[in-house]
Amino acid sequence: MADGFYFEVNDARALRVTELINDYRNLQHYVVQCRANPTLDDYYEQGYAVLRQCEGEAQALLLTNFAGSGSQSTSGDPEQEKAQLQRILLDASSRRFQVQKTYLRAVAALRWVNSRNAILAGQRPQAHHVPSLQAIDISLQAELAAITDERVLTNLANADYHAGRWIQEDPSLQSILMWLRSQQ
């Protein structure tokens, strides 16, 4: 009976890993689509800089080794399988968390780019544009400040819960942040 329980829970863990990896892949795809082509004069403006930073973060995350790489076969031992799946669950949860945070920042920067383009309407910045441009800079800073670790994880957890996903063993924010620090 105990073996049947382990296999059922390990199957749930494996399914959860699949869901997390799929979310991660989709979010990476979305981040890649967040692009803008600034002029040389605008290249260092705040929103464009944030977009470049997000692209770099997404690339760096793709280059990070996967926790399951090089791991030994579990040879059918449910406890070894459980431990391996929990390591992979932490890795996948952390990656999804980080790319979600990056995606939210990229979307905020794209809103800034679109607002800037609407304000300038194809013109170079003039004195009469300054108040509006300052307002969108402040808005971007506020949006970025609102993208906290706690908010990102809470939003992901709520979405998972409402989708009916098995989240009983999802790692805590502290575990995720520790994993992310260990990958730097």
Side-chain angles (χ1 to χ4, degrees):
M1 179 76 173
D3 281 350
F5 173 75
Y6 275 117
F7 289 120
E8 287 177 23
V9 174
N10 282 344
D11 287 347
R13 288 182 186 108
L15 179 60
R16 182 68 179 133
V17 167
T18 302
E19 292 167 348
L20 292 167
I21 290 172
N22 190 46
D23 289 351
Y24 170 76
R25 180 186 57 83
N26 289 338
L27 287 164
Q28 278 284 3
H29 178 74
Y30 300 150
V31 170
V32 168
Q33 292 180 350
C34 293
R35 294 192 176 267
N37 296 313
T39 65
L40 288 175
D41 293 336
D42 292 340
Y43 186 80
Y44 293 103
E45 292 291 333
Q46 184 180 19
Y48 294 116
V50 170
L51 275 177
R52 284 192 306 281
Q53 183 182 25
C54 290
E55 183 179 358
E57 288 171 7
Q59 280 295 326
L61 197 54
L62 281 173
L63 297 174
T64 304
N65 288 333
F66 172 61
S69 59
S71 58
Q72 301 298 321
S73 168
T74 60
S75 63
D77 179 9
E79 283 299 323
Q80 284 183 349
E81 186 176 325
K82 173 185 174 183
Q84 183 179 16
L85 284 168
Q86 286 175 330
R87 281 191 306 276
I88 296 169
L89 187 65
L90 174 60
D91 183 302
S93 294
S94 300
R95 288 173 190 270
R96 180 183 73 151
F97 167 84
Q98 186 61 46
V99 77
Q100 173 71 15
K101 189 173 179 182
T102 299
Y103 174 68
L104 292 173
R105 293 175 62 246
V107 168
L110 271 182
R111 268 192 289 279
W112 176 92
V113 168
N114 291 334
S115 296
R116 182 177 175 82
N117 289 341
I119 290 166
L120 295 177
Q123 302 174 9
R124 293 185 43 87
Q126 305 291 323
H128 68 277
H129 293 125
V130 171
S132 297
L133 293 174
Q134 287 175 336
I136 64 168
D137 285 347
I138 291 168
S139 178
L140 175 60
Q141 291 167 3
E143 246 188 288
L144 294 175
I147 302 170
T148 64
D149 293 338
E150 293 80 8
R151 179 176 164 219
V152 171
L153 189 61
T154 298
N155 288 345
L156 287 170
N158 286 339
D160 289 339
Y161 175 79
H162 290 296
R165 293 178 168 181
W166 186 76
I167 58 174
Q168 287 79 348
E169 292 188 9
D170 279 9
S172 67
L173 178 58
Q174 182 181 5
S175 297
I176 288 172
L177 295 176
M178 285 175 48
W179 182 89
L180 290 170
R181 281 192 291 274
S182 75
Q183 300 305 306
Q184 294 176 345

